[in-house]
Amino acid sequence: MKWDSLEDEPCSLARTVAVIGDRWTLLVLRECFLRVRRFDDFEASLGITRHVLADRLKKLVRFGVLRKIPYQEAPRRDEYILTQRGLDLYPIVMSIVQWGNVHMVDSRGRPMLHEHKTCKKMFDPVMVCSECGEPLTAKAVHVHPGPGARQSSPVHAKAQERAKRD
Amino acid sequence: MKWDSLEDEPCSLARTVAVIGDRWTLLVLRECFLRVRRFDDFEASLGITRHVLADRLKKLVRFGVLRKIPYQEAPRRDEYILTQRGLDLYPIVMSIVQWGNVHMVDSRGRPMLHEHKTCKKMFDPVMVCSECGEPLTAKAVHVHPGPGARQSSPVHAKAQERAKRD
DNA sequence: ACCATAAGTTCTAATTTGGAACTGTCAATA
DNA sequence: TATTGACAGTTCCAAATTAGAACTTATGGT
């Protein structure tokens, strides 16, 4: 599989992975949500090579996740700002952080705490069902092909059988 | 930055990214949640090379996300099954799917629909605050250093200033 | 004896990344 | 005037990773 074809796959996960699914991109996005905006600042806080950073920023702009906004002319300098499309990645970032908080902390505890301005409390992110509000678990969810699906492979037919048995 | 040092960073996102932060790993996990379990089935449904697949499965086992369970002896054959640690990745997978559903669908619509067995309705995953239950947005969240933090860099001090201004 | 199944491993070539130096434009300093 | 520094990249080569295909090992079936 070629990586450019990933965004054309009939799978919402694959298409999103085509945009954000590599290590440096996720770390760049972390910095964006921490309000880092400039090329050299990304480099300094991440230790990413300039080569790869330029590539990742270009890709995020191309996918509409970031927008370049000039903050001075002569010489022209731009900041990279999250678009709404980019801000919508927040649940992904937070669910990654949450898993790390639960499964990857060392004895010193969490590196970072989150306060909800709305209710003024320290919180954890929780993923719930839009219909009933209950927290979601993998076992409580059934998948169905949607209108944009193509017919399932033999492998998935086999897996489907397993799903029925369980 | 070396990739092995990523899991030692004082950042829950970086530590999680060390486990799941590459394209093939995320696609392998998608298959796991679709109940694919065997080496050749992963290969067939993903088109991943056997070399990389073996590497990624080994890594996921090492991090406790998957467990090898024998399904026959002589010759011994194992299936890869999600552990609880792995099942806990579900919010990450679903938030990635959800972003794709919103921002990457084509005219044919969603490739896949999700039904909540608990309430029997088709749903979208929503990330909410554990304390007040409101949906989370990036702008409504304030970050604080936690007990496992190290002091912030000049870059982040600058970003912190911006956060106050906004 | 020959073929098939399953889960890898090994090999070489192509691609991507790391690390460092270089470029272009402007402002401030010596 | 010449030099230095800031900023946002680009360019270059070596090192690491991935793609693609063939090979291995153990066993059962015809």
Side-chain angles (χ1 to χ4, degrees):
Chain A
M1 190 196 295
K2 276 142 196 151
W3 281 121
D4 294 345
S5 72
L6 199 55
E7 55 193 280
D8 301 322
E9 287 245 324
C11 168
S12 291
L13 185 137
R15 290 174 185 161
T16 305
V17 165
V19 182
I20 58 143
D22 84 288
R23 297 159 122 105
W24 281 125
T25 299
L26 287 165
L27 291 168
V28 167
L29 285 171
R30 175 189 76 186
E31 295 305 300
C32 292
F33 279 106
L34 292 173
R35 307 192 203 236
V36 171
R37 296 180 172 179
R38 300 188 184 177
F39 194 92
D40 282 17
D41 287 347
F42 284 109
E43 194 213 354
S45 69
L46 289 173
I48 188 175
T49 64
R50 305 175 73 79
H51 186 54
V52 173
L53 176 57
D55 179 79
R56 294 301 187 277
L57 290 172
K58 207 169 287 178
K59 179 176 294 181
L60 288 170
V61 168
R62 182 158 53 80
F63 280 113
V65 168
L66 297 178
R67 196 169 48 225
K68 287 176 81 160
I69 307 283
Y71 68 90
Q72 69 170 46
E73 303 290 338
R76 187 195 177 96
R77 297 277 182 252
D78 295 294
E79 291 185 318
Y80 292 91
I81 311 279
L82 287 163
T83 61
Q84 185 56 51
R85 216 174 152 83
L87 289 167
D88 285 354
L89 291 167
Y90 196 62
I92 299 177
V93 170
M94 283 301 274
S95 58
I96 292 173
V97 169
Q98 176 62 12
W99 193 85
N101 279 340
V102 173
H103 293 287
M104 302 290 279
V105 282
D106 58 27
S107 57
R108 292 190 322 211
R110 299 187 178 186
M112 202 169 268
L113 302 173
H114 297 269
E115 181 188 342
H116 195 204
K117 289 182 192 169
T118 310
C119 70
K120 311 219 186 312
K121 293 189 187 136
M122 297 296 174
F123 72 97
D124 286 339
V126 179
M127 178 151 285
V128 302
C129 167
S130 61
E131 302 308 305
C132 71
E134 284 299 300
L136 284 176
T137 61
K139 289 174 198 248
V141 174
H142 225 241
V143 299
H144 300 271
R150 63 172 170 216
Q151 82 276 18
S152 75
S153 65
V155 168
H156 288 121
K158 182 162 124 189
Q160 195 76 9
E161 283 309 300
R162 249 196 302 271
K164 256 180 251 172
R165 278 205 312 281
D166 299 350
Chain B
M1 191 196 295
K2 275 141 198 152
W3 281 120
D4 294 346
S5 72
L6 199 56
E7 55 192 279
D8 300 323
E9 286 245 323
C11 169
S12 290
L13 185 136
R15 289 173 186 164
T16 305
V17 165
V19 181
I20 59 145
D22 83 288
R23 297 156 122 107
W24 281 126
T25 300
L26 287 165
L27 291 168
V28 166
L29 285 171
R30 174 188 77 186
E31 295 305 301
C32 291
F33 280 105
L34 291 173
R35 306 189 203 239
V36 172
R37 296 180 172 179
R38 300 187 184 177
F39 193 93
D40 282 15
D41 287 347
F42 283 110
E43 193 212 354
S45 69
L46 289 172
I48 187 175
T49 63
R50 304 175 74 78
H51 185 55
V52 172
L53 176 58
D55 179 79
R56 294 301 186 278
L57 290 172
K58 205 169 288 178
K59 179 177 294 183
L60 288 170
V61 169
R62 182 158 52 80
F63 279 113
V65 168
L66 298 178
R67 195 170 47 226
K68 287 176 82 160
I69 307 281
Y71 67 90
Q72 70 171 43
E73 304 289 340
R76 188 194 176 96
R77 297 277 182 253
D78 295 295
E79 291 185 317
Y80 292 90
I81 311 279
L82 286 163
T83 61
Q84 186 56 50
R85 216 174 153 84
L87 288 168
D88 285 353
L89 290 167
Y90 196 62
I92 298 177
V93 170
M94 284 301 274
S95 58
I96 292 173
V97 169
Q98 176 61 13
W99 193 86
N101 278 341
V102 172
H103 294 287
M104 301 291 280
V105 281
D106 59 27
S107 58
R108 293 190 321 212
R110 298 186 178 186
M112 201 169 267
L113 301 174
H114 297 268
E115 180 189 343
H116 195 204
K117 289 182 191 168
T118 311
C119 70
K120 312 221 185 309
K121 292 189 186 137
M122 298 298 175
F123 73 96
D124 286 338
V126 180
M127 178 151 285
V128 302
C129 167
S130 59
E131 303 307 306
C132 71
E134 285 298 300
L136 284 176
T137 62
K139 289 175 199 248
V141 174
H142 225 241
V143 299
H144 300 270
R150 65 173 170 215
Q151 83 276 17
S152 74
S153 66
V155 168
H156 288 121
K158 182 161 124 188
Q160 196 75 9
E161 284 306 303
R162 252 196 300 272
K164 258 181 251 171
R165 277 206 311 281
D166 300 350

